Amino acid sequence: MSRSSTGPTRSPVASLVVIALVVAGSAAAFAYTAGWLSPERLTPTRLVSALAPAGGPALGHRRNHAKGICFTGEFQSNGNGVTLSRAQVFTAGTWPVLGRFNLATANPNAADATVRVRGMGLQIATPDGDVWRSAMIDAPVFAVSTPQAFFDLLQSAPKGAEAMKAFIGRHPEFMAFAGWAGTAPWTSSYAEDSFNGLNSFLFTDAAGTPRAVRWSLRPAATPVPIAPDELAKRGPNYLEQEIASRVAAAPQRWTMVLTVAEPGDVTADPSKAWPAGRRTVEVGTLVVNKVIGEPDGPCRDINFDPTVLPRGMSVSDDPFPAARSSAYARSYDLRTSEAKDYPRTAAAGSAKP
Amino acid sequence: MSRTMTHTRFSGAQRLLHWTMAAGIVAMLFIGVGMLSTVAPSYVPLVATHKTLGVALFALVLVRLVLRLVLGAPPLPASLPPLMRLGAVLSHWGLYGLMIALPLLGWAMLSTADYPVVLFGNFRLPPILPQSDSLHTLLWAAHRWLAFAFFALILLHVAAALFHALIRRDGVFEAMAPLPLHGTERKE
Ligand code: HEM
Ligand code: HEM
Ligand code: HEM
C-alpha cells in the first residue's frame, strides 16, 4: 500500500530544501512586489510624505490643500454636454453638489495671503448612482509635466534658490506656471476665481466615440484684483469669512466649460495649455448656496479623488489622475486615522482658529 | 470537521475551485501590495482589478463552502499524527475564514470612506456601512494585516502540501491534485 516505492527517490533533506526554496522565493517575490526591497521606488507614501512641512504634517488634515471650507449646492446641466459624454450629469437637469474651497498648502492655519494657489473640490451625484469627483485649481496650467517631477519639486522647493534653479533646469516646463504665479492678479474672493481641472480625461458619447477633454469653472462674479499685502490686511482667514457671508447673501455661480482636444494635442501633460481656438462647450452652471465650516462639514471626510468618474468619462494617458488617486487615498487613510487630532466642533478644537 | 467522503479525492468541482481560487488569491495578494507601491498609471487598472477579482472570489468561496458542506472531504490518512491533523483542520478553516473575511473587509473599508465601489464594466456595489473615520481606520488595518496573515498561512499551507507530496507521500497532495497522479489512493 505504501506509495513511497512509486515516487521518485529523493532524500528528505533535498525535499526540505525544495520546500524551503519555494517558501523563501514566494516571500521574496511578495516583498519585491510590495516595494519593500526598493526604497527608491516612488510610492504613494513617499509622495505624500514629501508634502509635509519641516515641522511634520498637520494631523487629521489633508496632506495638501489642507485649509478649506465646505459648500453644498447644485449643478444645473443645460444638456449640451451629451454631445461629448453619455454621463447622466450632462443630460439637462439639476444635480446635488458637495464641494470644498481650499488653499494649496499643507498648513491648515496658513494665512490666506501667503498661499498663491487656490483650489476647489467638487462632487456631483446623479440619480443613476454615478458620482463625479474633481479637484481643480485656479492656475491655468499645472507646475510640472509628470508626477515624478512634482516629487522633485516638493523636494527642491524647501532647499532654497539654488535647488530651485537646478530644478527648473531639469523641468523647464515649470516656467509657464511660474509666469502665472508671478503676474496673475490675486482676488479677494473664491467667488471671483476660475477653477481648472487641468488633467485630460476621455469622454465617451452615446455612440462610443472617445474624445480628450479638460474642464474649467468660470466665475459669474467679476474678478476684482487685489494686491497680496492688501489681502493680508484683511486678516488670515478673510477668504473663508468672505465666501460664507457672500453665499449667505446670494448664491454664487460658475459656468462649467469643457474644452475638446484636437488630434495632435498633448493630453498627457497638464503643464501645457492646448492651443487657443479649441472647441469649447458650456455644459451648465455650478450654484453654491450654502457654506459650512470644515470641522463638521460634509466635505471633511470626502476624498475628491479625480479618478472617481461617472460612466462616459475615464482616465486618459495623462499620468496625473492615477498618481493623485494613489496619493489622495494615502492622505485620506492618514487623516481619518488621526481624526481625534482634528476635533469635530470648531469650539472644542485648537486646529482651526 | 467530519470527513464524510469515502473516496480518496476531492470532487472535480472542488479541485477546480481550489486551484482557480488559489491562482486568484495569490494574484489578489500581489496586486494588493503592488498597487500600493506605485503612483504609475497602472495604479488605476490594478485597483479596479483588485476590487473586481476580490468580489468574484467572494462569490466563488460561497459556492465552495456549500460544496464542502454537502460533499465533505476525503479522510486524512490514519497515519497522520494528531497534532498535524489538528493543524490541517485548523489551517483549512482559517483559510476559508480569510477567503470570506478579506473581500468583505475590502468592500466595507471602501464604504466607510464614502468611495463608490465600482468594478470593471462599471458594475456598482452599494455601500455596506456608512462613512466613519474610526471604522475606516479599523477596517483598513484589518484588511492589511489579515491579508499579510493570509499570505503567511498560504505559505505554511503550501509547505505542508509539499511536505505531504515529497516527504510523507501519503496521498494528501493527490487528494487535491488538479489531475490524477499515479497512486491516488490514500495511505491508511
Ligand atoms: C502628483 C501630483 C499631485 C499630488 C501628489 C497631490 C497631492 C494632494 C493631496 C495629498 C491632497 C489631499 C487629498 C485628501 O486628503 O483628500 C490634495 C488635494 C488637492 N489637490 Fe492635489 N496633488 C497633485 C496634483 C494636483 C493637481 C494637478 C491639481 C489640480 C488640477 C490638484 C488639486 C488639488 C485640490 C483642489 C485639492 C483639494 C481637494 C479637496 O478639497 O479635498 N492636485 N492633493
Ligand atoms: C481575497 C480577497 C482579497 C485579498 C487577498 C486582498 C489583499 C489585499 C492586500 C495584500 C492589500 C495591500 C495591503 C497593504 O499593503 O497595505 C490590499 C489593499 C486593498 N484592498 Fe484588498 N484584498 C482582497 C479583497 C478586496 C476587495 C473585495 C476589495 C474591495 C472591493 C479590496 C479593496 C482594497 C483596497 C481599496 C486596498 C487599498 C487600501 C489602501 O488604500 O491602503 N480588497 N488588499
Ligand atoms: C493560494 C491559496 C490557497 C488557498 C486559499 C487554499 C485553500 C485550501 C483549503 C481551504 C483547503 C481545505 C479543503 C477542505 O478541506 O475543504 C485546501 C486543501 C488543499 N490544498 Fe490548498 N489552498 C491554496 C493553495 C494551495 C497550493 C499552492 C497547494 C499546493 C502546493 C495546495 C494544496 C492543497 C492540498 C494538497 C489540499 C488537500 C488537503 C486535504 O486533503 O485535506 N493549496 N486548500
Side-chain angles (χ1 to χ4, degrees):
Chain A
M1 256 315 264
S2 168
R3 273 171 295 104
S4 43
S5 53
T6 64
T9 48
R10 198 190 285 106
S11 81
V13 177
S15 297
L16 281 176
V17 170
V18 169
I19 296 173
L21 284 178
V22 168
V23 169
S26 309
F30 192 69
Y32 174 78
T33 308
W36 298 332
L37 309 178
S38 347
E40 76 293 341
R41 198 180 297 177
L42 182 53
T43 62
T45 304
R46 280 182 79 208
L47 188 52
V48 168
S49 308
L51 285 161
L59 299 183
H61 293 269
R62 284 166 169 80
R63 289 319 197 240
N64 197 9
H65 295 255
K67 184 176 187 181
I69 191 162
C70 303
F71 66 77
T72 55
E74 58 193 36
F75 179 66
Q76 299 167 346
S77 169
N78 59 22
N80 292 342
V82 294
T83 55
L84 292 170
S85 167
R86 63 192 176 89
Q88 190 178 38
V89 64
F90 296 120
T91 59
T94 297
W95 321 121
V97 156
L98 165 64
R100 182 171 175 270
F101 296 110
N102 54 66
L103 296 181
T105 167
N107 174 8
N109 301 315
D112 294 346
T114 62
V115 186
R116 172 73 265 212
V117 175
R118 298 177 189 166
M120 177 195 280
L122 184 68
Q123 164 178 296
I124 311 177
T126 42
D128 62 0
D130 278 2
V131 178
W132 176 16
R133 291 187 185 161
S134 169
M136 300 157 279
I137 56 175
D138 56 349
V141 288
F142 196 58
V144 288
S145 299
T146 62
Q148 195 77 41
F150 188 63
F151 182 64
D152 193 353
L153 172 63
L154 293 176
Q155 290 191 308
S156 306
K159 291 186 196 147
E162 273 308 304
M164 273 312 282
K165 240 167 123 184
F167 166 81
I168 291 167
R170 291 189 297 277
H171 303 286
E173 77 268 20
F174 183 72
M175 290 318 292
F177 172 83
W180 169 84
T183 59
W186 293 57
T187 74
S188 60
S189 175
Y190 283 119
E192 297 169 13
D193 292 331
S194 293
F195 296 100
N196 306 303
L198 301 185
N199 293 131
S200 304
F201 292 84
L202 287 182
F203 279 42
T204 313
D205 64 16
T209 313
R211 292 182 191 85
V213 166
R214 288 171 174 169
W215 59 78
S216 292
L217 289 170
R218 296 192 186 144
T222 312
V224 182
I226 183 173
D229 4 325
E230 277 308 307
L231 183 60
K233 283 187 202 144
R234 299 194 184 177
N237 303 313
Y238 177 75
L239 289 176
E240 292 187 1
Q241 291 148 8
E242 194 273 349
I243 195 67
S245 53
R246 188 164 183 153
V247 168
Q252 297 299 309
R253 295 184 153 75
W254 287 256
T255 304
M256 186 184 286
V257 184
L258 306 183
T259 305
V260 187
E262 280 181 15
D265 288 348
V266 179
T267 54
D269 183 352
S271 73
K272 309 272 182 309
W274 290 337
R278 290 292 173 263
R279 178 181 163 208
T280 58
V281 183
E282 292 191 359
V283 294
T285 307
L286 167 67
V287 183
V288 171
N289 47 36
K290 193 164 182 219
V291 169
I292 311 129
E294 189 188 57
D296 286 316
C299 70
R300 169 179 170 144
D301 296 320
I302 294 286
N303 173 349
F304 292 97
D305 175 336
T307 66
V308 173
L309 299 165
R311 280 163 278 196
M313 292 171 62
S314 57
V315 293
S316 69
D317 61 352
D318 188 328
F320 277 91
R324 295 174 65 189
S325 180
S326 74
Y328 292 22
R330 177 73 193 150
S331 172
Y332 187 89
D333 291 344
L334 289 167
R335 63 187 171 91
T336 50
S337 73
E338 302 152 354
K340 63 171 187 336
D341 293 295
Y342 180 19
R344 295 232 158 227
T345 45
S350 55
K352 278 233 152 174
Chain B
M1 261 308 124
S2 64
R3 300 206 158 209
T4 52
M5 279 183 171
T6 49
H7 39 291
T8 54
R9 304 180 67 204
F10 283 92
S11 68
Q14 282 171 300
R15 280 177 286 133
L16 183 67
L17 277 171
H18 175 271
W19 290 105
T20 11
M21 290 190 65
I25 286 164
V26 170
M28 283 301 288
L29 288 162
F30 278 80
I31 292 172
V33 293
M35 69 192 189
L36 293 188
S37 83
T38 184
V39 305
S42 57
Y43 175 82
V44 171
L46 284 175
V47 173
T49 307
H50 188 83
K51 292 188 283 194
T52 311
L53 185 56
V55 170
L57 288 166
F58 181 63
L60 288 181
V61 77
L62 298 181
V63 176
R64 188 166 166 189
L65 265 183
V66 171
L67 283 183
R68 178 60 167 83
L69 297 175
V70 174
L71 299 176
L76 286 169
S79 60
L80 203 64
L83 216 56
M84 275 202 199
R85 181 178 298 272
L86 184 69
V89 171
L90 288 183
S91 65
H92 290 164
W93 289 106
L95 290 168
Y96 277 123
L98 289 167
M99 283 188 275
I100 295 166
L102 273 163
L104 285 176
L105 286 170
W107 186 356
M109 161 176 71
L110 291 173
S111 305
T112 55
D114 219 341
Y115 293 121
V117 186
V118 184
L119 311 181
F120 264 125
N122 267 307
F123 194 76
R124 268 137 224 269
L125 296 180
I128 50 176
L129 283 175
Q131 198 282 333
S132 157
D133 288 353
S134 52
L135 271 182
H136 177 260
T137 303
L138 190 76
L139 294 167
W140 180 87
H143 189 75
R144 174 182 171 91
W145 295 109
L146 287 179
F148 293 168
F150 199 4
F151 185 65
L153 191 55
I154 288 168
L155 288 184
L156 196 72
H157 179 70
V158 170
L162 293 178
F163 181 69
H164 284 287
L166 302 177
I167 295 174
R168 285 186 59 88
R169 302 189 198 179
D170 53 5
V172 166
F173 184 79
E174 287 72 11
M176 193 52 103
L179 297 171
L181 306 176
H182 43 180
T184 51
E185 77 280 12
R186 295 253 188 185
K187 190 162 76 173
E188 291 306 331

Coordinates of all heavy atoms in Angstrom, one line a residue, chain B residues 109-166:
Chain B
M109 N -14.4 48.6 3.9 CA -13.4 49.7 4.0 C -13.7 50.8 3.0 O -13.7 52.0 3.4 CB -12.0 49.1 3.8 CG -11.0 50.1 3.5 SD -9.4 49.3 3.4 CE -9.5 48.3 1.9
L110 N -14.1 50.4 1.8 CA -14.4 51.5 0.8 C -15.7 52.2 1.2 O -15.8 53.4 1.0 CB -14.5 50.8 -0.6 CG -13.2 50.3 -1.2 CD1 -13.5 49.6 -2.5 CD2 -12.3 51.5 -1.4
S111 N -16.7 51.4 1.7 CA -17.9 52.0 2.1 C -17.7 53.1 3.2 O -18.3 54.1 3.2 CB -18.9 50.9 2.6 OG -19.1 49.9 1.7
T112 N -16.9 52.7 4.2 CA -16.7 53.7 5.3 C -15.9 54.9 4.9 O -15.8 55.8 5.7 CB -16.0 53.0 6.5 OG1 -14.8 52.4 6.1 CG2 -16.9 51.9 7.1
A113 N -15.3 54.9 3.7 CA -14.6 56.0 3.2 C -15.4 56.8 2.2 O -15.0 57.7 1.6 CB -13.3 55.6 2.6
D114 N -16.7 56.4 2.0 CA -17.6 57.0 1.1 C -17.1 57.0 -0.3 O -17.4 57.9 -1.1 CB -17.8 58.5 1.6 CG -19.3 58.9 1.4 OD1 -20.0 58.2 0.6 OD2 -19.7 59.9 2.0
Y115 N -16.3 56.0 -0.7 CA -16.0 55.8 -2.1 C -17.0 55.0 -2.8 O -17.5 54.0 -2.2 CB -14.7 55.0 -2.2 CG -13.4 55.6 -1.7 CD1 -12.7 55.0 -0.7 CD2 -12.9 56.8 -2.2 CE1 -11.5 55.5 -0.2 CE2 -11.8 57.3 -1.8 CZ -11.0 56.7 -0.8 OH -9.9 57.3 -0.3
P116 N -17.4 55.4 -4.0 CA -18.3 54.5 -4.7 C -17.5 53.2 -5.0 O -16.3 53.3 -5.4 CB -18.6 55.2 -6.0 CG -17.8 56.5 -6.0 CD -17.0 56.6 -4.7
V117 N -18.1 52.0 -4.9 CA -17.4 50.8 -5.1 C -17.7 50.4 -6.6 O -18.8 49.8 -6.9 CB -17.8 49.7 -4.2 CG1 -17.0 48.4 -4.4 CG2 -17.7 50.2 -2.7
V118 N -16.8 50.7 -7.5 CA -17.0 50.5 -8.9 C -16.1 49.4 -9.4 O -14.9 49.4 -9.2 CB -16.7 51.8 -9.7 CG1 -17.0 51.6 -11.2 CG2 -17.5 52.9 -9.1
L119 N -16.7 48.3 -10.0 CA -15.9 47.2 -10.5 C -15.7 47.4 -12.0 O -16.3 48.3 -12.6 CB -16.6 45.9 -10.2 CG -17.1 45.7 -8.8 CD1 -17.7 44.3 -8.6 CD2 -15.9 45.9 -7.8
F120 N -14.9 46.5 -12.7 CA -14.8 46.6 -14.1 C -16.2 46.5 -14.8 O -17.1 45.8 -14.2 CB -13.9 45.4 -14.6 CG -12.5 45.8 -14.8 CD1 -11.5 45.2 -14.1 CD2 -12.2 46.9 -15.6 CE1 -10.2 45.6 -14.3 CE2 -10.9 47.3 -15.7 CZ -9.9 46.6 -15.1
G121 N -16.3 47.1 -15.9 CA -17.6 47.1 -16.6 C -18.6 48.0 -16.0 O -19.8 47.9 -16.2
N122 N -18.0 48.9 -15.1 CA -18.9 49.9 -14.4 C -20.0 49.3 -13.6 O -21.0 49.9 -13.4 CB -19.5 50.9 -15.4 CG -18.6 52.1 -15.6 OD1 -18.3 52.7 -14.6 ND2 -18.2 52.4 -16.8
F123 N -19.7 48.1 -13.1 CA -20.6 47.4 -12.2 C -20.4 48.1 -10.8 O -19.3 48.3 -10.3 CB -20.3 45.9 -12.2 CG -21.4 45.1 -11.5 CD1 -22.5 44.9 -12.2 CD2 -21.2 44.7 -10.2 CE1 -23.5 44.1 -11.6 CE2 -22.2 43.9 -9.6 CZ -23.4 43.6 -10.3
R124 N -21.6 48.5 -10.2 CA -21.5 49.2 -9.0 C -22.1 48.4 -7.8 O -23.2 47.9 -7.9 CB -22.3 50.5 -9.1 CG -21.5 51.7 -9.5 CD -22.2 52.5 -10.5 NE -21.2 52.8 -11.6 CZ -20.5 53.9 -11.6 NH1 -20.6 54.8 -10.6 NH2 -19.6 54.1 -12.6
L125 N -21.4 48.4 -6.7 CA -21.9 47.8 -5.5 C -22.4 48.8 -4.5 O -21.8 49.9 -4.4 CB -20.8 46.9 -4.8 CG -20.3 45.7 -5.6 CD1 -19.2 45.0 -4.9 CD2 -21.4 44.8 -6.0
P126 N -23.5 48.5 -3.8 CA -23.9 49.5 -2.8 C -23.0 49.5 -1.6 O -22.3 48.5 -1.3 CB -25.3 49.0 -2.4 CG -25.2 47.5 -2.6 CD -24.3 47.3 -3.8
P127 N -23.0 50.6 -0.8 CA -22.2 50.6 0.4 C -22.8 49.6 1.4 O -24.0 49.4 1.5 CB -22.3 52.0 0.9 CG -23.5 52.6 0.3 CD -23.7 51.9 -1.0
I128 N -21.9 49.0 2.2 CA -22.4 48.0 3.2 C -22.3 48.6 4.6 O -22.7 48.0 5.6 CB -21.8 46.6 3.2 CG1 -20.3 46.7 3.1 CG2 -22.3 45.9 2.0 CD1 -19.6 45.4 3.1
L129 N -21.7 49.8 4.8 CA -21.6 50.5 6.0 C -21.6 52.0 5.7 O -21.2 52.4 4.6 CB -20.3 50.2 6.8 CG -20.1 48.8 7.5 CD1 -18.7 48.6 8.0 CD2 -21.2 48.7 8.6
P130 N -22.0 52.8 6.7 CA -21.9 54.3 6.5 C -20.5 54.8 6.6 O -19.7 54.1 7.2 CB -22.8 54.8 7.6 CG -22.8 53.8 8.7 CD -22.6 52.5 8.0
Q131 N -20.3 56.0 6.1 CA -18.9 56.6 6.3 C -18.6 56.7 7.8 O -19.5 57.1 8.6 CB -18.9 58.0 5.7 CG -17.5 58.6 5.4 CD -16.8 59.1 6.7 OE1 -17.5 59.5 7.6 NE2 -15.5 59.1 6.7
S132 N -17.4 56.4 8.1 CA -17.0 56.5 9.5 C -15.4 56.5 9.6 O -14.8 55.6 9.1 CB -17.5 55.4 10.4 OG -16.7 55.2 11.5
D133 N -14.8 57.6 10.2 CA -13.4 57.6 10.3 C -12.8 56.5 11.1 O -11.9 55.8 10.7 CB -13.0 58.9 10.9 CG -13.2 60.1 10.0 OD1 -13.5 59.9 8.8 OD2 -13.0 61.3 10.5
S134 N -13.5 56.2 12.2 CA -12.9 55.2 13.1 C -13.1 53.8 12.5 O -12.1 53.0 12.6 CB -13.5 55.3 14.5 OG -14.9 55.2 14.4
L135 N -14.2 53.5 11.9 CA -14.4 52.2 11.3 C -13.5 52.0 10.1 O -12.9 51.0 9.9 CB -15.9 52.1 10.8 CG -16.8 51.5 11.8 CD1 -18.2 51.3 11.2 CD2 -16.4 50.1 12.3
H136 N -13.3 53.1 9.4 CA -12.4 53.0 8.2 C -11.0 52.7 8.6 O -10.3 51.8 8.1 CB -12.4 54.3 7.4 CG -11.4 54.3 6.2 ND1 -10.2 54.9 6.3 CD2 -11.5 53.7 5.0 CE1 -9.6 54.6 5.1 NE2 -10.4 53.9 4.4
T137 N -10.5 53.3 9.7 CA -9.2 53.0 10.2 C -9.1 51.6 10.6 O -8.1 50.9 10.3 CB -8.9 54.0 11.4 OG1 -9.1 55.3 10.9 CG2 -7.5 53.8 11.9
L138 N -10.1 51.1 11.3 CA -10.1 49.7 11.8 C -10.1 48.7 10.7 O -9.3 47.8 10.6 CB -11.3 49.6 12.7 CG -11.4 48.3 13.5 CD1 -10.4 48.4 14.7 CD2 -12.8 48.0 14.0
L139 N -11.0 49.0 9.7 CA -11.2 48.0 8.6 C -9.9 48.1 7.7 O -9.5 47.0 7.2 CB -12.4 48.4 7.8 CG -13.7 48.2 8.6 CD1 -14.9 48.9 7.8 CD2 -14.0 46.7 8.8
W140 N -9.4 49.2 7.5 CA -8.1 49.3 6.7 C -7.0 48.5 7.3 O -6.4 47.7 6.6 CB -7.7 50.8 6.6 CG -6.5 51.0 5.8 CD1 -6.5 51.2 4.5 CD2 -5.1 51.1 6.3 NE1 -5.1 51.3 4.1 CE2 -4.3 51.2 5.2 CE3 -4.5 50.9 7.5 CZ2 -2.9 51.3 5.2 CZ3 -3.2 51.0 7.6 CH2 -2.4 51.2 6.5
A141 N -6.8 48.7 8.7 CA -5.8 47.9 9.3 C -6.1 46.4 9.3 O -5.2 45.6 9.0 CB -5.7 48.4 10.8
A142 N -7.4 46.0 9.5 CA -7.8 44.6 9.4 C -7.5 44.0 8.1 O -7.0 42.9 7.9 CB -9.2 44.5 9.9
H143 N -7.9 44.8 7.0 CA -7.7 44.3 5.6 C -6.2 44.1 5.4 O -5.8 43.0 4.8 CB -8.3 45.3 4.7 CG -8.4 44.8 3.2 ND1 -9.3 43.9 2.8 CD2 -7.6 45.1 2.1 CE1 -9.1 43.6 1.5 NE2 -8.1 44.3 1.1
R144 N -5.4 45.0 5.8 CA -4.0 44.9 5.5 C -3.3 43.8 6.3 O -2.7 42.9 5.8 CB -3.3 46.3 5.9 CG -1.8 46.3 5.9 CD -1.3 47.6 6.3 NE 0.2 47.7 6.5 CZ 1.0 48.0 5.5 NH1 0.5 48.4 4.4 NH2 2.3 48.0 5.7
W145 N -3.6 43.7 7.6 CA -2.8 42.8 8.5 C -3.4 41.4 8.3 O -2.6 40.4 8.3 CB -2.8 43.2 9.9 CG -2.0 44.5 10.0 CD1 -2.5 45.7 10.3 CD2 -0.6 44.6 9.8 NE1 -1.4 46.6 10.3 CE2 -0.3 46.0 9.9 CE3 0.4 43.7 9.5 CZ2 1.0 46.5 9.8 CZ3 1.7 44.2 9.3 CH2 2.0 45.6 9.4
L146 N -4.7 41.2 8.0 CA -5.2 39.9 7.8 C -4.8 39.4 6.4 O -4.6 38.2 6.2 CB -6.7 39.9 7.9 CG -7.3 39.9 9.3 CD1 -8.8 39.9 9.3 CD2 -6.7 38.8 10.1
A147 N -4.6 40.3 5.4 CA -4.0 39.9 4.1 C -2.6 39.4 4.3 O -2.2 38.4 3.7 CB -4.0 41.1 3.1
F148 N -1.8 40.1 5.1 CA -0.5 39.5 5.4 C -0.5 38.2 6.1 O 0.3 37.3 5.8 CB 0.4 40.6 6.2 CG 0.6 41.8 5.4 CD1 1.2 43.0 6.1 CD2 0.4 41.9 4.1 CE1 1.4 44.1 5.4 CE2 0.7 43.1 3.3 CZ 1.2 44.2 4.0
A149 N -1.4 38.1 7.1 CA -1.6 36.8 7.7 C -2.0 35.7 6.8 O -1.6 34.6 6.8 CB -2.6 36.9 8.9
F150 N -2.9 36.1 5.8 CA -3.4 35.2 4.8 C -2.2 34.7 4.0 O -2.0 33.4 3.8 CB -4.3 35.9 3.9 CG -5.3 35.0 3.1 CD1 -5.3 33.7 3.2 CD2 -6.2 35.6 2.2 CE1 -6.1 32.9 2.4 CE2 -7.0 34.9 1.4 CZ -7.0 33.5 1.5
F151 N -1.3 35.6 3.6 CA -0.1 35.2 2.8 C 0.7 34.2 3.6 O 1.2 33.2 3.1 CB 0.7 36.4 2.4 CG 1.8 36.1 1.4 CD1 1.5 35.6 0.2 CD2 3.1 36.3 1.8 CE1 2.6 35.3 -0.7 CE2 4.2 36.0 1.0 CZ 3.9 35.5 -0.3
A152 N 1.0 34.5 4.9 CA 1.8 33.6 5.7 C 1.1 32.3 5.8 O 1.8 31.2 5.7 CB 2.0 34.3 7.1
L153 N -0.2 32.2 6.0 CA -0.9 31.0 6.2 C -0.8 30.2 4.9 O -0.7 28.9 4.9 CB -2.3 31.2 6.6 CG -3.1 30.0 7.1 CD1 -2.5 29.3 8.2 CD2 -4.5 30.5 7.5
I154 N -0.9 30.9 3.8 CA -0.8 30.2 2.5 C 0.6 29.6 2.3 O 0.8 28.4 1.8 CB -1.1 31.1 1.3 CG1 -2.6 31.4 1.3 CG2 -0.7 30.6 0.0 CD1 -3.1 32.5 0.4
L155 N 1.6 30.3 2.7 CA 3.0 29.8 2.6 C 3.1 28.5 3.5 O 3.7 27.5 3.0 CB 4.0 30.8 3.1 CG 4.3 32.0 2.2 CD1 5.4 32.8 2.7 CD2 4.6 31.5 0.8
L156 N 2.5 28.5 4.6 CA 2.5 27.4 5.5 C 1.8 26.2 4.9 O 2.2 25.0 4.9 CB 1.8 27.7 6.8 CG 2.1 26.8 8.0 CD1 3.5 27.0 8.5 CD2 1.1 27.2 9.1
H157 N 0.6 26.5 4.3 CA -0.2 25.6 3.6 C 0.5 24.9 2.4 O 0.5 23.7 2.3 CB -1.5 26.3 3.1 CG -2.5 25.5 2.4 ND1 -3.3 24.5 3.0 CD2 -2.8 25.5 1.1 CE1 -4.1 24.0 2.1 NE2 -3.8 24.6 0.9
V158 N 1.2 25.7 1.7 CA 2.0 25.2 0.5 C 3.1 24.3 1.0 O 3.4 23.2 0.5 CB 2.5 26.4 -0.3 CG1 3.5 25.9 -1.4 CG2 1.4 27.1 -1.0
A159 N 3.8 24.8 2.1 CA 4.9 24.0 2.6 C 4.3 22.6 3.1 O 4.9 21.6 2.8 CB 5.5 24.7 3.8
A160 N 3.2 22.7 3.7 CA 2.6 21.4 4.2 C 2.2 20.5 3.1 O 2.4 19.3 3.1 CB 1.4 21.7 5.1
A161 N 1.6 21.1 2.0 CA 1.2 20.3 0.9 C 2.4 19.6 0.2 O 2.4 18.4 -0.1 CB 0.5 21.2 -0.2
L162 N 3.5 20.4 0.1 CA 4.7 19.8 -0.5 C 5.3 18.8 0.5 O 5.9 17.8 0.0 CB 5.7 20.9 -0.8 CG 5.3 21.9 -1.9 CD1 6.3 23.0 -2.1 CD2 5.1 21.2 -3.2
F163 N 5.2 19.0 1.7 CA 5.7 18.0 2.7 C 4.9 16.7 2.5 O 5.6 15.6 2.5 CB 5.4 18.6 4.1 CG 5.9 17.7 5.3 CD1 7.2 17.5 5.5 CD2 5.0 17.1 6.1 CE1 7.7 16.7 6.5 CE2 5.4 16.3 7.1 CZ 6.7 16.1 7.4
H164 N 3.6 16.8 2.3 CA 2.8 15.6 2.1 C 3.3 15.0 0.7 O 3.4 13.7 0.6 CB 1.3 15.9 2.0 CG 0.7 16.1 3.4 ND1 0.5 15.1 4.2 CD2 0.3 17.2 4.0 CE1 0.0 15.5 5.4 NE2 -0.2 16.9 5.2
A165 N 3.5 15.8 -0.3 CA 3.7 15.3 -1.6 C 5.1 14.7 -1.7 O 5.3 13.6 -2.3 CB 3.6 16.4 -2.6
L166 N 6.1 15.4 -1.1 CA 7.5 15.0 -1.3 C 8.1 14.1 -0.2 O 8.9 13.2 -0.5 CB 8.4 16.2 -1.5 CG 8.0 17.2 -2.6 CD1 8.9 18.4 -2.5 CD2 8.0 16.5 -3.9

